[in-house]
Amino acid sequence: MSEIVQMERGHLSPAQARGAAPFGVTALQAPELVARAAALAVQLAALAGAHDSSGAPPAPQFALLHEADLLRLTIAKEAGGHGAGLATARAVVGAVAQGDPAVALILSMHYSMHAAIARSQQAGSGEWSAALATELIAASLQGPALLNAAQVEPELGSPSHGGLPATRARRVQGGWQLSGHKIYVTGGPLLAWISVLAVTDEDKPRLGSFVLPRGTPGSRLVETWDPMGMRATVSQDLLLEEAWVPDHHAVGLRPAADGLQREAHGIAWYFSLVASVYDGAARAARDWLADFLNHRRPSALGGASLASLPTVQEKFGEIEVLLQASDCLLDSHARAYDAGSAPDGLAAVAKHVAVENAVRAATLALELAGNHGLARRNPLERHLRNVLCSQIHSPPNNLIRSNAGRAGLQRR
């Protein structure tokens, strides 16, 4: 069986066991929320260039998202949120990504974490304590109180590849003290809460997450983020030196000997939303290119635009086919997931296809734009840099292909 398929399998909530959607907005509400995100993307696009250049945290953008009432999208309805399922969350993230994919990536992590809280509460699993869930939700309803996880470490890399984190949680009176070094904490300076993956110091060590409030003594962010693209994600390092959290901030503690057990639904959300971020970035590249081709009128064409050339139309058509295929696959997977009928492995396939198509579409856009596509005054070069960052998210597409190939050969 494919490792990716195994990652997507897991315990079903009672609602999913019955084949029902775990939660979701009404048919009338979802389009309105997506339309709101699409309208906001115009404002985000106007801010994206400056934040890409400076690498400054996109705090004004999240103030806009809060004003648009989109930050509580995946909080359960009974807790005061919109109760959106994956299909709506994916559409909102994709729309935001067309304005600024860095903002969309931070947003996608926030959505995934609150969706996990909603699933835990609905299933009664106790994964997230009621006190912690109430605290996180209340803060998010009041303002941009963003939540994300810190899992990657300098020596470990991504825990998806196996191994245990070096970050330790030491038992103390009333709680835990966290010590360690995390890297690539997406949205770091904007986060109100960071869920830190760590191993306990108990006789029989356990592995789990510990939700750290921003500003906790003994914790500090270090400005190390200086990438080629997705610069405004401000994915900084987190240093922990006996940072204390209370008992009820521990989440999902299990025997460390079992290794990291990815929750099946979390994997589906992660694959879908990350893929939607880069699909949105590729669509922004497509949109800029369409405007460029329609307005660029070389003298050799006698006043006609580049868009009038059959060869250009065919190449632009390839971009359209790639993006339409990604949209169909991502949307089909998300809707099937919400209905409790998504086939094993489909989330990984959707992520693979969407990322490959996004990179290909952005590359084709550069080919058609020529030197103009590399000019810093034009946003296409930023879109291309952002799209290329899609290839670093774990698991990489070559691993997805290897697992799919191994599973296919074993079946035959």
Short mmCIF file of all heavy atoms in Angstrom, two decimals, residues 297-342:
data_model
loop_
_atom_site.label_atom_id
_atom_site.label_comp_id
_atom_site.label_asym_id
_atom_site.label_seq_id
_atom_site.Cartn_x
_atom_site.Cartn_y
_atom_site.Cartn_z
N ARG A 297 1.36 45.36 -28.92
CA ARG A 297 1.12 45.45 -30.37
C ARG A 297 2.43 45.81 -31.08
O ARG A 297 2.69 46.98 -31.38
CB ARG A 297 0.04 46.50 -30.65
CG ARG A 297 -1.30 46.19 -30.01
CD ARG A 297 -2.34 47.28 -30.24
NE ARG A 297 -3.57 46.97 -29.54
CZ ARG A 297 -4.54 46.19 -30.01
NH1 ARG A 297 -4.42 45.67 -31.23
NH2 ARG A 297 -5.61 45.95 -29.30
N PRO A 298 3.26 44.81 -31.37
CA PRO A 298 4.52 45.07 -32.07
C PRO A 298 4.27 45.68 -33.46
O PRO A 298 3.28 45.35 -34.12
CB PRO A 298 5.14 43.67 -32.20
CG PRO A 298 4.48 42.85 -31.14
CD PRO A 298 3.09 43.38 -31.04
N SER A 299 5.15 46.56 -33.88
CA SER A 299 4.96 47.22 -35.17
C SER A 299 4.91 46.23 -36.32
O SER A 299 4.25 46.47 -37.33
CB SER A 299 6.10 48.23 -35.40
OG SER A 299 7.37 47.59 -35.34
N ALA A 300 5.60 45.09 -36.16
CA ALA A 300 5.60 44.09 -37.23
C ALA A 300 4.22 43.50 -37.50
O ALA A 300 3.97 42.93 -38.56
CB ALA A 300 6.58 42.97 -36.89
N LEU A 301 3.31 43.65 -36.54
CA LEU A 301 1.96 43.09 -36.71
C LEU A 301 0.98 44.13 -37.25
O LEU A 301 -0.23 43.84 -37.36
CB LEU A 301 1.45 42.54 -35.37
CG LEU A 301 2.22 41.35 -34.78
CD1 LEU A 301 1.57 40.88 -33.50
CD2 LEU A 301 2.32 40.21 -35.79
N GLY A 302 1.48 45.31 -37.58
CA GLY A 302 0.61 46.31 -38.19
C GLY A 302 -0.54 46.76 -37.32
O GLY A 302 -1.64 47.02 -37.80
N GLY A 303 -0.28 46.84 -36.04
CA GLY A 303 -1.31 47.30 -35.12
C GLY A 303 -2.09 46.20 -34.43
O GLY A 303 -2.86 46.47 -33.51
N ALA A 304 -1.90 44.96 -34.87
CA ALA A 304 -2.59 43.83 -34.22
C ALA A 304 -1.86 43.45 -32.94
O ALA A 304 -0.66 43.70 -32.78
CB ALA A 304 -2.67 42.64 -35.16
N SER A 305 -2.57 42.84 -32.01
CA SER A 305 -1.95 42.44 -30.74
C SER A 305 -1.33 41.05 -30.86
O SER A 305 -1.66 40.27 -31.76
CB SER A 305 -3.00 42.42 -29.63
OG SER A 305 -3.91 41.37 -29.84
N LEU A 306 -0.46 40.75 -29.92
CA LEU A 306 0.11 39.40 -29.86
C LEU A 306 -0.97 38.35 -29.69
O LEU A 306 -0.84 37.21 -30.14
CB LEU A 306 1.11 39.30 -28.71
CG LEU A 306 2.44 40.04 -28.88
CD1 LEU A 306 3.25 39.96 -27.59
CD2 LEU A 306 3.24 39.44 -30.04
N ALA A 307 -2.06 38.73 -29.02
CA ALA A 307 -3.15 37.79 -28.79
C ALA A 307 -3.81 37.33 -30.08
O ALA A 307 -4.53 36.33 -30.07
CB ALA A 307 -4.18 38.42 -27.86
N SER A 308 -3.59 38.04 -31.17
CA SER A 308 -4.22 37.66 -32.44
C SER A 308 -3.47 36.54 -33.17
O SER A 308 -3.99 35.98 -34.14
CB SER A 308 -4.31 38.89 -33.36
OG SER A 308 -3.01 39.31 -33.77
N LEU A 309 -2.27 36.22 -32.72
CA LEU A 309 -1.46 35.21 -33.40
C LEU A 309 -1.92 33.80 -33.04
O LEU A 309 -2.04 33.47 -31.86
CB LEU A 309 0.01 35.37 -33.02
CG LEU A 309 0.69 36.68 -33.43
CD1 LEU A 309 2.11 36.73 -32.89
CD2 LEU A 309 0.68 36.83 -34.95
N PRO A 310 -2.18 32.95 -34.02
CA PRO A 310 -2.60 31.57 -33.73
C PRO A 310 -1.61 30.80 -32.85
O PRO A 310 -2.01 30.02 -31.99
CB PRO A 310 -2.71 30.94 -35.12
CG PRO A 310 -3.00 32.09 -36.02
CD PRO A 310 -2.21 33.24 -35.46
N THR A 311 -0.31 31.03 -33.06
CA THR A 311 0.68 30.31 -32.24
C THR A 311 0.59 30.73 -30.77
O THR A 311 0.74 29.90 -29.87
CB THR A 311 2.10 30.58 -32.76
OG1 THR A 311 2.32 32.00 -32.84
CG2 THR A 311 2.30 29.96 -34.13
N VAL A 312 0.34 32.01 -30.55
CA VAL A 312 0.18 32.51 -29.19
C VAL A 312 -1.10 31.97 -28.58
O VAL A 312 -1.14 31.56 -27.42
CB VAL A 312 0.18 34.05 -29.17
CG1 VAL A 312 -0.23 34.58 -27.80
CG2 VAL A 312 1.56 34.59 -29.55
N GLN A 313 -2.16 31.94 -29.35
CA GLN A 313 -3.43 31.42 -28.88
C GLN A 313 -3.32 29.95 -28.48
O GLN A 313 -3.86 29.52 -27.45
CB GLN A 313 -4.50 31.59 -29.95
CG GLN A 313 -4.85 33.05 -30.23
CD GLN A 313 -5.69 33.21 -31.48
OE1 GLN A 313 -6.03 32.24 -32.16
NE2 GLN A 313 -6.04 34.46 -31.79
N GLU A 314 -2.57 29.19 -29.28
CA GLU A 314 -2.40 27.76 -28.96
C GLU A 314 -1.62 27.58 -27.67
O GLU A 314 -1.99 26.77 -26.80
CB GLU A 314 -1.68 27.07 -30.12
CG GLU A 314 -1.59 25.55 -29.99
CD GLU A 314 -0.40 25.07 -29.17
OE1 GLU A 314 0.60 25.84 -29.08
OE2 GLU A 314 -0.46 23.96 -28.60
N LYS A 315 -0.55 28.36 -27.49
CA LYS A 315 0.26 28.25 -26.28
C LYS A 315 -0.52 28.73 -25.05
O LYS A 315 -0.45 28.12 -23.98
CB LYS A 315 1.55 29.07 -26.44
CG LYS A 315 2.56 28.87 -25.34
CD LYS A 315 3.19 27.47 -25.39
CE LYS A 315 4.14 27.34 -26.56
NZ LYS A 315 4.85 26.04 -26.54
N PHE A 316 -1.27 29.82 -25.22
CA PHE A 316 -2.10 30.30 -24.10
C PHE A 316 -3.20 29.27 -23.80
O PHE A 316 -3.56 29.08 -22.63
CB PHE A 316 -2.72 31.65 -24.44
CG PHE A 316 -3.35 32.34 -23.26
CD1 PHE A 316 -2.59 33.11 -22.41
CD2 PHE A 316 -4.70 32.19 -22.98
CE1 PHE A 316 -3.16 33.74 -21.30
CE2 PHE A 316 -5.29 32.81 -21.88
CZ PHE A 316 -4.50 33.58 -21.03
N GLY A 317 -3.68 28.62 -24.83
CA GLY A 317 -4.67 27.57 -24.63
C GLY A 317 -4.14 26.42 -23.80
O GLY A 317 -4.88 25.81 -23.02
N GLU A 318 -2.84 26.13 -23.93
CA GLU A 318 -2.24 25.08 -23.11
C GLU A 318 -2.29 25.46 -21.64
O GLU A 318 -2.57 24.63 -20.77
CB GLU A 318 -0.80 24.83 -23.54
CG GLU A 318 -0.15 23.67 -22.80
CD GLU A 318 1.26 23.37 -23.27
OE1 GLU A 318 1.70 23.92 -24.30
OE2 GLU A 318 1.94 22.58 -22.58
N ILE A 319 -2.03 26.74 -21.35
CA ILE A 319 -2.14 27.22 -19.98
C ILE A 319 -3.56 27.04 -19.46
O ILE A 319 -3.79 26.58 -18.34
CB ILE A 319 -1.71 28.70 -19.89
CG1 ILE A 319 -0.23 28.85 -20.25
CG2 ILE A 319 -1.99 29.27 -18.50
CD1 ILE A 319 0.24 30.29 -20.34
N GLU A 320 -4.53 27.42 -20.29
CA GLU A 320 -5.93 27.30 -19.89
C GLU A 320 -6.30 25.85 -19.58
O GLU A 320 -6.99 25.56 -18.60
CB GLU A 320 -6.84 27.85 -21.00
CG GLU A 320 -6.80 29.35 -21.14
CD GLU A 320 -7.54 30.04 -20.00
OE1 GLU A 320 -8.77 30.17 -20.07
OE2 GLU A 320 -6.86 30.41 -19.02
N VAL A 321 -5.85 24.93 -20.43
CA VAL A 321 -6.16 23.51 -20.22
C VAL A 321 -5.56 23.02 -18.91
O VAL A 321 -6.20 22.29 -18.14
CB VAL A 321 -5.66 22.68 -21.42
CG1 VAL A 321 -5.71 21.18 -21.09
CG2 VAL A 321 -6.50 22.96 -22.66
N LEU A 322 -4.32 23.40 -18.65
CA LEU A 322 -3.65 22.98 -17.41
C LEU A 322 -4.41 23.46 -16.18
O LEU A 322 -4.65 22.69 -15.24
CB LEU A 322 -2.22 23.52 -17.38
CG LEU A 322 -1.22 22.90 -18.37
CD1 LEU A 322 0.04 23.74 -18.43
CD2 LEU A 322 -0.89 21.47 -17.98
N LEU A 323 -4.79 24.73 -16.19
CA LEU A 323 -5.45 25.30 -15.02
C LEU A 323 -6.88 24.78 -14.86
O LEU A 323 -7.36 24.58 -13.74
CB LEU A 323 -5.43 26.83 -15.09
CG LEU A 323 -4.03 27.46 -15.05
CD1 LEU A 323 -4.11 28.97 -15.11
CD2 LEU A 323 -3.27 27.02 -13.80
N GLN A 324 -7.56 24.56 -15.97
CA GLN A 324 -8.91 24.00 -15.88
C GLN A 324 -8.87 22.57 -15.35
O GLN A 324 -9.74 22.16 -14.56
CB GLN A 324 -9.59 24.05 -17.24
CG GLN A 324 -10.01 25.46 -17.66
CD GLN A 324 -10.68 25.49 -19.02
OE1 GLN A 324 -11.35 24.54 -19.41
NE2 GLN A 324 -10.49 26.59 -19.75
N ALA A 325 -7.87 21.81 -15.77
CA ALA A 325 -7.73 20.43 -15.27
C ALA A 325 -7.47 20.43 -13.77
O ALA A 325 -8.04 19.63 -13.02
CB ALA A 325 -6.60 19.72 -16.02
N SER A 326 -6.58 21.32 -13.31
CA SER A 326 -6.29 21.41 -11.87
C SER A 326 -7.54 21.78 -11.09
O SER A 326 -7.83 21.19 -10.04
CB SER A 326 -5.20 22.45 -11.62
OG SER A 326 -3.98 22.04 -12.19
N ASP A 327 -8.28 22.77 -11.58
CA ASP A 327 -9.47 23.21 -10.88
C ASP A 327 -10.49 22.09 -10.76
O ASP A 327 -11.09 21.89 -9.70
CB ASP A 327 -10.10 24.41 -11.60
CG ASP A 327 -11.31 24.95 -10.86
OD1 ASP A 327 -11.14 25.45 -9.74
OD2 ASP A 327 -12.42 24.87 -11.41
N CYS A 328 -10.67 21.35 -11.85
CA CYS A 328 -11.63 20.25 -11.84
C CYS A 328 -11.23 19.18 -10.82
O CYS A 328 -12.06 18.70 -10.05
CB CYS A 328 -11.74 19.66 -13.24
SG CYS A 328 -12.93 18.31 -13.37
N LEU A 329 -9.94 18.83 -10.81
CA LEU A 329 -9.48 17.77 -9.92
C LEU A 329 -9.53 18.22 -8.46
O LEU A 329 -10.00 17.48 -7.58
CB LEU A 329 -8.06 17.36 -10.30
CG LEU A 329 -7.45 16.19 -9.52
CD1 LEU A 329 -8.35 14.97 -9.58
CD2 LEU A 329 -6.06 15.87 -10.06
N LEU A 330 -9.04 19.43 -8.18
CA LEU A 330 -9.05 19.93 -6.80
C LEU A 330 -10.47 20.08 -6.28
O LEU A 330 -10.77 19.72 -5.13
CB LEU A 330 -8.31 21.26 -6.72
CG LEU A 330 -6.79 21.19 -6.86
CD1 LEU A 330 -6.21 22.60 -7.05
CD2 LEU A 330 -6.16 20.51 -5.66
N ASP A 331 -11.36 20.60 -7.12
CA ASP A 331 -12.74 20.78 -6.68
C ASP A 331 -13.43 19.44 -6.48
O ASP A 331 -14.17 19.24 -5.51
CB ASP A 331 -13.50 21.63 -7.70
CG ASP A 331 -14.89 22.00 -7.21
OD1 ASP A 331 -14.99 22.70 -6.19
OD2 ASP A 331 -15.88 21.58 -7.85
N SER A 332 -13.19 18.49 -7.39
CA SER A 332 -13.82 17.17 -7.27
C SER A 332 -13.37 16.46 -6.00
O SER A 332 -14.17 15.85 -5.29
CB SER A 332 -13.47 16.31 -8.50
OG SER A 332 -14.02 16.87 -9.67
N HIS A 333 -12.06 16.56 -5.71
CA HIS A 333 -11.56 15.94 -4.49
C HIS A 333 -12.18 16.57 -3.25
O HIS A 333 -12.62 15.88 -2.34
CB HIS A 333 -10.04 16.04 -4.40
CG HIS A 333 -9.53 15.77 -3.01
ND1 HIS A 333 -9.17 16.77 -2.14
CD2 HIS A 333 -9.40 14.60 -2.32
CE1 HIS A 333 -8.83 16.25 -0.98
NE2 HIS A 333 -8.94 14.94 -1.06
N ALA A 334 -12.22 17.91 -3.22
CA ALA A 334 -12.74 18.59 -2.03
C ALA A 334 -14.20 18.27 -1.80
O ALA A 334 -14.64 18.04 -0.66
CB ALA A 334 -12.53 20.10 -2.17
N ARG A 335 -14.98 18.24 -2.86
CA ARG A 335 -16.40 17.92 -2.72
C ARG A 335 -16.59 16.47 -2.28
O ARG A 335 -17.45 16.16 -1.45
CB ARG A 335 -17.13 18.20 -4.03
CG ARG A 335 -17.24 19.68 -4.36
CD ARG A 335 -17.94 19.92 -5.69
NE ARG A 335 -17.97 21.32 -6.03
CZ ARG A 335 -18.88 22.19 -5.59
NH1 ARG A 335 -19.84 21.78 -4.77
NH2 ARG A 335 -18.83 23.46 -5.94
N ALA A 336 -15.78 15.57 -2.82
CA ALA A 336 -15.87 14.16 -2.42
C ALA A 336 -15.45 14.00 -0.96
O ALA A 336 -16.06 13.23 -0.22
CB ALA A 336 -14.99 13.30 -3.32
N TYR A 337 -14.44 14.74 -0.55
CA TYR A 337 -14.02 14.69 0.85
C TYR A 337 -15.15 15.14 1.76
O TYR A 337 -15.46 14.49 2.76
CB TYR A 337 -12.78 15.55 1.07
CG TYR A 337 -12.47 15.74 2.54
CD1 TYR A 337 -11.71 14.81 3.22
CD2 TYR A 337 -12.99 16.82 3.24
CE1 TYR A 337 -11.47 14.96 4.58
CE2 TYR A 337 -12.76 16.98 4.60
CZ TYR A 337 -12.00 16.04 5.27
OH TYR A 337 -11.78 16.19 6.61
N ASP A 338 -15.78 16.27 1.44
CA ASP A 338 -16.87 16.77 2.26
C ASP A 338 -18.03 15.80 2.33
O ASP A 338 -18.75 15.73 3.33
CB ASP A 338 -17.36 18.12 1.73
CG ASP A 338 -16.40 19.26 2.04
OD1 ASP A 338 -15.56 19.10 2.95
OD2 ASP A 338 -16.49 20.31 1.39
N ALA A 339 -18.22 15.03 1.26
CA ALA A 339 -19.30 14.05 1.22
C ALA A 339 -18.91 12.72 1.86
O ALA A 339 -19.73 11.81 1.96
CB ALA A 339 -19.74 13.81 -0.23
N GLY A 340 -17.64 12.60 2.27
CA GLY A 340 -17.18 11.36 2.88
C GLY A 340 -16.92 10.25 1.88
O GLY A 340 -16.89 9.08 2.25
N SER A 341 -16.71 10.61 0.60
CA SER A 341 -16.55 9.57 -0.43
C SER A 341 -15.27 9.71 -1.24
O SER A 341 -15.15 9.13 -2.31
CB SER A 341 -17.75 9.63 -1.40
OG SER A 341 -17.83 10.91 -2.03
N ALA A 342 -14.29 10.48 -0.75
CA ALA A 342 -13.04 10.65 -1.49
C ALA A 342 -12.25 9.36 -1.51
O ALA A 342 -12.00 8.76 -0.46
CB ALA A 342 -12.22 11.77 -0.88
#
